[in-house]
Amino acid sequence: MSFNGTAIVTGAAQGIGRAIALRLADDGFDVALNDISAKLEELETLVAEIKQRGRQSSPHVGDVSQEEDVKRIITQVVELHGGVDVMVANAGIIHRRVPMTEFSAEEWDQVMNVNARGVFLCYKYAGLQMIKQGRGGRIIGASSINGKQARPNLGAYSASKFAVRGLTQSAAQEFGPHAITVNAYAPGAIDTPMMASFVEDPAAFRETNMSPLKKIGVPEDMASLVSFLASKESQFITGQTVSHHNHSGRNRMLSFSALDID
């Protein structure tokens, strides 16, 4: 298997992040893994799994909402792996489902800090490193279908994921001259531990949130999309936020081009 460079995946301990890390390893990337300290055991297990697949890997504990943590992670990855070629800013949280009139400012800050500030910091410091390296790169962020079609009682989450779309468009224009593409993925209903912990009746949720394909997504579906966005074949796609599906079952059509902004 050819070596395609080094990727960083944040929020890699479970769910979509874990699937992305494994897929990128299969694609020929060494993969640096990030999550919070409570997830270190899961990270170390994933590191071992990636090494069994013939790629290098390393765990990096840190909070993506903290600037010094993100800077440290980038520095560690460069020292261990020689550079950063792909940044997948996947880490995110979802809040309890309540009307905004019952949602506290502290809870708002927590969601926005991880989902929006964290993506900004990953974009910023990965971009700085890629510019320094001078060989281009891929920056990929986690939006959501709720960042394209907001839902009631998920105000902070929806706002944070809309923010990722705007940040992605802006970053694509700023980093484009350095051969760095910036895109995001927007999952709909994906069968993950986060989903299971968030909904009261997972079985009913799966039934009512199926895509037009009449099934719910799995993490590997999003990993396949990220695999493409991280590849050489996506070199003329930037500024996009690509949907999985929306909850109303209507497909969204995206035109792919150099900064044909969605």
Side-chain angles (χ1 to χ4, degrees):
M1 181 190 300
S2 62
F3 173 60
N4 287 326
T6 299
I8 300 174
V9 181
T10 69
Q14 65 182 29
I16 292 173
R18 188 179 196 281
I20 289 170
L22 290 171
R23 177 58 186 267
L24 292 179
D26 287 343
D27 290 344
F29 290 95
D30 289 346
V31 188
L33 309 172
N34 157 260
D35 218 306
I36 58 175
S37 58
K39 300 288 186 178
L40 178 57
E41 185 175 347
E42 290 94 328
L43 282 186
E44 291 177 337
T45 298
L46 183 54
V47 165
E49 193 169 343
I50 290 171
K51 288 182 176 180
Q52 288 175 354
R53 298 185 181 207
R55 297 259 57 100
Q56 294 301 308
S57 184
S58 55
H60 302 269
V61 167
D63 180 347
V64 295
S65 71
Q66 299 301 310
E67 187 167 17
E68 291 305 313
D69 281 11
V70 176
K71 290 168 66 176
R72 171 180 52 78
I73 290 165
I74 296 289
T75 298
Q76 289 176 346
V77 171
V78 172
E79 290 175 349
L80 285 171
H81 300 283
V84 177
D85 300 286
V86 176
M87 163 60 81
V88 184
N90 170 76
I93 60 173
I94 195 165
H95 63 73
R96 61 195 182 101
R97 198 171 199 145
V98 293
M100 67 177 67
T101 52
E102 300 175 20
F103 199 63
S104 71
E106 291 75 18
E107 289 174 303
W108 167 276
D109 288 342
Q110 182 183 21
V111 172
M112 294 299 290
N113 281 344
V114 176
N115 293 2
R117 175 185 166 98
V119 172
F120 156 68
L121 291 171
C122 288
Y123 280 20
K124 175 181 177 178
Y125 287 104
L128 283 169
Q129 178 61 32
M130 290 174 184
I131 290 169
K132 180 180 178 181
Q133 292 168 181
R135 58 177 185 253
R138 301 282 185 267
I139 296 176
I140 305 165
S143 183
S144 167
I145 201 64
N146 293 289
K148 290 190 171 186
Q149 180 180 319
R151 304 195 79 192
N153 304 324
L154 285 174
Y157 183 78
S158 295
S160 71
K161 296 303 186 176
F162 268 89
V164 171
R165 288 180 62 204
L167 180 66
T168 296
Q169 293 176 6
S170 184
Q173 295 172 79
E174 294 184 24
F175 294 151
H178 302 282
I180 301 166
T181 65
V182 189
N183 294 288
Y185 51 98
I190 304 292
D191 199 351
T192 65
M194 180 184 287
M195 186 203 78
S197 67
F198 172 69
V199 298
E200 294 181 1
D201 187 344
F205 181 85
R206 292 184 182 94
E207 181 66 26
T208 58
N209 285 273
M210 289 190 298
S211 77
L213 298 172
K214 303 305 179 185
K215 62 180 182 178
I216 196 169
V218 294
E220 289 74 18
D221 293 322
M222 299 316 303
S224 294
L225 173 58
V226 172
S227 171
F228 172 68
L229 293 175
S231 72
K232 293 180 175 65
E233 284 72 20
S234 68
Q235 64 180 346
F236 204 55
I237 300 172
T238 198
Q240 299 299 310
T241 298
V242 185
S243 301
H244 172 259
H245 72 84
N246 69 11
H247 294 292
S248 65
R250 296 190 301 267
N251 287 322
R252 287 182 176 268
M253 300 301 293
L254 301 182
S255 59
F256 295 129
S257 71
L259 206 65
D260 184 357
I261 296 296
D262 174 71

